[in-house]
Amino acid sequence: MDYLQITGGAKLSGSIKISGAKNSALPIIAATILSDKPVKLTNLPNVVDIRTLLKLLDILGSRVEHKDTVANINNGTMNSTKAVYEIVSQMRASILVLGPLLARFGECEVSLPGGCAIGQRPIDLHLKAMEAMGATIEIKGGYVRAEAPNGLQGAKIVFDKITVGGTENTLMAAALAHGTTTIVNAAKEPEIVQLCEMLADAGVKIDGIGTSEIVVEGTGQKPLTFKDVEIIPDRIEAGTYLCAAAITNSTITLEKVNPAHIEASIDKLEAMGCSFEIEGEKITISGTSRLKPISLVTTEYPGFPTDMQAQFMAVATMAIGESVIEERLFENRFMHVSELNRLGADIWLKGSVAAVKPVAQLYGADVMATDLRASSALVLAGLVAKGVTNVHRIYHLDRGYDNLEGKLSALGAKIKRLSE
Ligand code: UD1
């Protein structure tokens, strides 16, 4: 198994290019199921999760050509609607094929994703939405079996809780349903907006894009013809490198970012004393030797993203006062706390709130990655820890960060990938 070895203390400088957003690419790959014609996706990140979902399409009978950042997908040859356990158990986001498979073929079977390190993460809201659109749902043998032999019917879906994946599944299902679907309390993330734009570019009438109420006119099971899609920049990857500059008090430039998507992170880093120059798709951040403590609460977009909580906690360990971080979206997303404390941090947890007390120095140690973003927090801490930090179980990182060690090395970090 691979691990990352980081020797802390190096200043960062220079510029790197941000990759396409994993969390936008995944629903977009799933949405291609709504078409029986070839579709080309560009700016895909080179990460394991993307390869996993493309492999699922391949298992379902699609023709997939994937090289570097480009995939040509033809779902015209799809001959199965069963998303098998072997794939879904590797990646929860595989549940995103539920809506499009059901909408196009009138039936599908998708393995239940189960829990994950950051919490229980149920899919009840996805299933309720499909039922409201006329599907019959049965759970048997670890699989969700969904049927709508005459196609899905447009409906009013009111989400009790804002759900990114649930909104995406419903949008895709609604695109081929008969009649109008209204999604109330929809998620507003940039990834949702890009999915809506992809569907709208294929001729689906959608109102309220980017708002909490989205209205979709379905095509009545007529498959779509998509234009080429260029995946938007990864706002979480960008935010993680901004944190790398902040924790090491460095100046770096990120290219190919959408600054509007990372306002919440920029605001918090400014409050901590970092400064920014923003020009088109470029952001230059300069750190400070006197990082101020922060108070933050994770919420849905445009609020502060839960996917940046762990990285900010790493940065907060270097602030000159006590920071308070509250996690509101996932019940168990503090697995990085004990690992950061192994590096000498002084973090106290009470329920969903963490108090991050200041420490003069972190010290290198062996630490274990527990989930995707927690892993990047450990890498950030390793960049300033005195001595050597080994981050184990980095398969979590490989799921979502495109060439993390290559990009950090290009900025001057002392980091290498080794095998156990
Ligand atoms: C997506 C992102 C993930 C991010 C999360 C929140 C992808 C591939 N993943 O995950 O990186 O951390 O949004 O921004 O885009 N919930 C239910 N029932 C459901 C669905 C969700 O109770 O049927 C709950 C979840 O447990 C969680 C909250 O709703 O507490 C938000 O989850 P959701 O927005 O659905 O997250 P994902 O789409 O899984």
Side-chain angles (χ1 to χ4, degrees):
M1 226 189 283
D2 289 356
Y3 65 102
L4 288 178
Q5 184 167 84
I6 306 154
T7 306
K11 280 259 188 190
L12 307 183
S13 63
S15 69
I16 49 163
K17 189 177 147 284
I18 295 304
S19 299
K22 166 183 88 76
N23 285 356
S24 205
L26 291 172
I28 279 172
I29 292 170
T32 66
I33 295 173
L34 299 168
S35 175
D36 54 2
K37 309 243 169 35
V39 45
K40 182 176 180 181
L41 309 182
T42 60
N43 201 34
L44 291 168
N46 187 5
V47 298
V48 171
D49 273 8
I50 298 302
R51 295 194 282 277
T52 304
L53 192 55
L54 291 173
K55 186 164 169 219
L56 177 58
L57 292 190
D58 182 63
I59 294 172
L60 296 177
S62 306
R63 264 183 274 147
V64 178
E65 285 167 24
H66 178 213
K67 195 163 183 274
D68 304 326
T69 59
V70 178
N72 286 292
I73 301 170
N74 186 343
N75 292 322
T77 53
M78 220 166 216
N79 54 18
S80 164
T81 55
K82 182 169 180 173
V84 291
Y85 174 75
E86 290 67 29
I87 298 287
V88 183
S89 59
Q90 284 173 41
M91 185 184 66
R92 289 185 47 82
S94 315
I95 191 67
L96 291 172
V97 301
L98 174 76
L101 281 176
L102 180 59
R104 181 166 153 210
F105 298 103
E107 51 111 44
C108 68
E109 266 185 279
V110 180
S111 173
L112 278 170
C116 76
I118 66 173
Q120 199 190 0
R121 294 182 87 176
I123 55 160
D124 56 315
L125 300 173
H126 301 234
L127 301 184
K128 262 196 201 162
M130 298 304 122
E131 277 178 329
M133 296 173 82
T136 313
I137 305 273
E138 192 190 18
I139 295 180
K140 217 172 165 186
Y143 278 79
V144 175
R145 174 152 187 84
E147 278 182 37
N150 301 316
L152 293 166
Q153 298 297 324
K156 183 172 180 180
I157 315 285
V158 182
F159 281 119
D160 298 346
K161 216 181 202 182
I162 299 177
T163 158
V164 174
T167 303
E168 290 164 346
N169 246 332
T170 308
L171 280 168
M172 293 185 277
L176 293 202
H178 298 273
T180 307
T181 299
T182 303
I183 308 175
V184 179
N185 207 20
K188 294 186 283 198
E189 271 68 2
E191 294 77 22
I192 302 274
V193 171
Q194 181 161 44
L195 176 62
C196 286
E197 283 170 353
M198 175 193 189
L199 298 171
D201 278 351
V204 179
K205 190 170 172 298
I206 308 186
D207 285 329
I209 296 178
T211 73
S212 57
E213 186 163 320
I214 308 177
V215 182
V216 183
E217 299 285 341
T219 65
Q221 276 191 299
K222 185 172 171 279
L224 306 178
T225 302
F226 290 116
K227 297 190 178 140
D228 295 356
V229 183
E230 182 186 344
I231 306 300
I232 57 171
D234 194 316
R235 62 196 169 99
I236 306 301
E237 188 198 20
T240 303
Y241 287 106
L242 294 180
C243 286
I247 201 169
T248 57
N249 181 17
S250 303
T251 297
I252 64 167
T253 299
L254 307 184
E255 289 168 20
K256 212 156 185 326
V257 281
N258 186 335
H261 293 170
I262 41 180
E263 258 173 27
S265 293
I266 291 176
D267 283 356
K268 286 294 170 199
L269 288 168
E270 263 177 346
M272 294 182 93
C274 298
S275 46
F276 289 86
E277 266 176 52
I278 300 176
E279 205 193 315
E281 292 189 327
K282 259 192 201 178
I283 298 184
T284 299
I285 174 174
S286 297
T288 167
S289 58
R290 291 184 63 75
L291 276 171
K292 291 184 207 133
I294 34 153
S295 155
L296 67 83
V297 178
T298 65
T299 50
E300 295 86 3
Y301 189 85
F304 187 87
T306 174
D307 286 350
M308 286 302 304
Q309 180 255 105
Q311 300 89 317
F312 268 77
M313 193 178 292
V315 179
T317 63
M318 289 289 101
I320 46 176
E322 182 174 325
S323 297
V324 179
I325 296 180
E326 182 175 350
E327 173 58 55
R328 290 236 181 114
L329 283 170
F330 293 107
E331 72 269 21
N332 196 21
R333 204 169 197 178
F334 277 135
M335 312 268 283
H336 43 283
V337 167
S338 50
E339 298 301 297
L340 286 171
N341 284 346
R342 285 178 54 74
L343 295 170
D346 188 11
I347 306 169
W348 294 81
L349 264 184
K350 193 161 184 222
S352 59
V353 180
V356 187
K357 302 192 187 263
V359 289
Q361 178 72 58
L362 297 177
Y363 294 92
D366 283 274
V367 286
M368 196 96 87
T370 49
D371 70 67
L372 174 55
R373 307 304 169 185
S375 321
S376 64
L378 301 178
V379 172
L380 294 177
L383 295 176
V384 282
K386 200 177 166 87
V388 174
T389 298
N390 294 313
V391 182
H392 300 273
R393 296 202 185 167
I394 54 163
Y395 52 84
H396 292 290
L397 278 172
D398 294 336
R399 285 189 39 217
Y401 283 95
D402 184 347
N403 190 21
L404 180 73
E405 71 272 21
K407 291 188 187 186
L408 281 173
S409 298
L411 293 172
K414 293 203 170 68
I415 178 167
K416 54 187 172 190
R417 181 181 287 256
L418 298 167
S419 283
E420 309 272 2

